[in-house]
Structures are given as C-alpha cells and as structure tokens.
C-alpha cells in the first residue's frame, strides 16, 4: 500500500487499465482453451461414431456371408449335389475367404478411426494448454509493461534539457529564431551566430 500511495492518479488509472487488460487476456486464453477442449471432445465423439459405423458394416458383411453360404448350400442340395464337397464347397470357401477379409477390414477401419480421433483430440488438448499459457504470458507482459511505464507517467520528459529553451527540437528551433534570455548565452543559438 505504501507503493500505491506514492502514485499519481494518472499512474493509478494506467495500472488499473493494464490490470483490466491482463484479466481480459487471461479470460480470452481460457475461452480459447475451452473451445479447443470442445473440439477435442467432438473429435472423440466423431471417432466413436465412425467406429460404430464400421462395426455395423462388419455385422452386415457377416450377415451377407451367412446368407450367401446358405444360398449356395440350398441350391447345391436342390440340384442333387453334395453341398459340403466339390464345387459347392469351393464356392462357399471362396465366399468365406472374401467375407472374412472384408470383415477384418471393417474391424481395422474401426480401430483406425479411434486412433485418428485420439490423435486429433490430443492435438486440440495441446492447443488448449497453449492457449491458456499464451493468455497468461500476454497478461504478464501487459502488467510488466505497465509497471515499467508507471515511472514515466506524470514525470518530466526524459529529453528535458537536451536543447536550450524547453528540452525539445521544437524549442531549439524557436530559440534560434526568437532567442530568449536563457538561450543568448549560447552563441550557436543566436541568429547569425558569433
């Protein structure tokens, strides 16, 4: 509190505005992090939905395989052939091989969809952490700049005395054309010079 007592009103206002800006930066970082976390959850849900769709496709493949095997068996038997040997069995074996391959492909696709969803979710969670950190770092930078600039608010300019008659280039030029008593002691400042 002793430090605050030595500050001018302008300095207090500047610090207050900087603090408000810092809080806003932290809140913006948190909001962005929450948006990324929602996207991560969305990616996880999308992956789960894709996995379910692939598993449903796998069930459909097995249903069609069973139906085709039954059809081959029934047709072979109705034609007077042994459905469990010869050409009929060869057709069923070939159909089973293709069906099982297709089924395992749907299982692999289901697993890949979950893995891809996990990777995407991890990337969004990482972005969320980065957004939170960035908001905090921005707030720290804002407050650091505010504290550093508090000493310059309400004080004399740092270039005071650099030129005769006001401490600025404009003052020096005015003294050249309209010399004052304080600038007459410097010969270079008098029009026409000595």
């Amino acid at each position: 509190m002793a430090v605050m007592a030595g500050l001018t009103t302008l300095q207090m206002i500047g610090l207050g505005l900087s603090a408000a800006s810092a809080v806003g930066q932290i809140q913006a970082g948190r909001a962005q992090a929450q948006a990324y976390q929602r996207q991560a959850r969305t990616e996880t849900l999308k992956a789960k939905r894709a996995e379910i769709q692939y598993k449903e496709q796998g069930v459909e493949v097995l249903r069609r395989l069973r139906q085709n095997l039954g059809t081959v068996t029934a047709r072979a038997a109705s034609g007077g052939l042994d459905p469990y040997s010869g050409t009929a069995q060869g057709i069923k074996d070939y159909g089973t091989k293709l069906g099982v391959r297709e089924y395992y492909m749907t299982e692999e696709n289901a697993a890949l969809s979950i893995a891809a969803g996990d990777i995407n979710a991890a990337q969004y969670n990482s972005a969320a952490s980065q957004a939170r950190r960035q908001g905090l770092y921005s707030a720290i930078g804002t407050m650091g700049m505010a504290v550093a600039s508090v000493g310059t608010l309400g004080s004399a300019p740092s270039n005071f005395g650099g030129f005769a008659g006001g401490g600025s280039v404009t003052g020096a030029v005015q003294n050249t054309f309209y010399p004052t008593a304080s600038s007459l002691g410097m010969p270079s400042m008098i029009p026409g010079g000595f």
Side-chain angles (χ1 to χ4, degrees):
M1 282 305 215
V3 172
M4 297 295 268
L7 297 178
T8 67
T9 303
L10 185 59
Q11 290 170 330
M12 295 284 280
I13 290 171
L15 281 177
L17 291 174
S18 294
S21 175
V23 168
Q25 289 168 337
I26 290 172
Q27 289 174 340
R30 286 180 182 165
Q32 184 64 44
Q34 288 173 348
Y36 282 133
Q37 288 171 332
R38 281 190 300 275
Q39 287 177 314
R41 284 191 298 273
T42 299
E43 286 297 320
T44 301
L45 291 174
K46 281 173 31 179
K48 190 65 176 168
R49 183 175 56 229
E51 178 193 32
I52 290 169
Q53 289 172 342
Y54 283 121
K55 288 191 178 273
E56 287 173 349
Q57 286 176 4
V59 169
E60 180 61 25
V61 165
L62 292 177
R63 187 191 67 72
R64 282 193 325 257
L65 175 61
R66 189 188 70 192
Q67 183 181 10
N68 291 340
L69 294 177
T71 300
V72 170
T73 302
R75 286 193 179 167
S78 70
L81 299 172
D82 181 10
Y84 302 107
S85 66
T87 304
Q89 186 61 40
I91 291 171
K92 289 193 308 187
D93 289 345
Y94 179 72
T96 301
K97 179 180 171 183
L98 292 180
V100 168
R101 185 182 303 158
E102 189 175 345
Y103 173 76
Y104 283 130
M105 190 177 297
T106 62
E107 288 293 308
E108 287 176 14
N109 286 339
L112 287 174
S113 68
I114 290 295
D118 289 345
I119 290 169
N120 290 340
Q123 288 175 337
Y124 280 119
N125 284 328
S126 176
S129 295
Q130 181 62 31
R132 273 192 295 276
R133 276 193 303 273
Q134 186 60 41
L136 182 61
Y137 295 157
S138 295
I140 290 170
T142 297
M143 288 308 296
M145 293 296 289
V147 169
S149 67
V150 160
T152 63
L153 290 175
S155 62
S158 61
N159 63 353
F160 184 72
F163 294 98
S168 67
V169 173
T170 305
V173 170
Q174 288 176 347
N175 284 337
T176 302
F177 294 115
Y178 309 104
T180 62
S182 64
S183 66
L184 284 177
M186 302 180 71
S188 64
M189 299 302 281
I190 297 175
F194 288 47

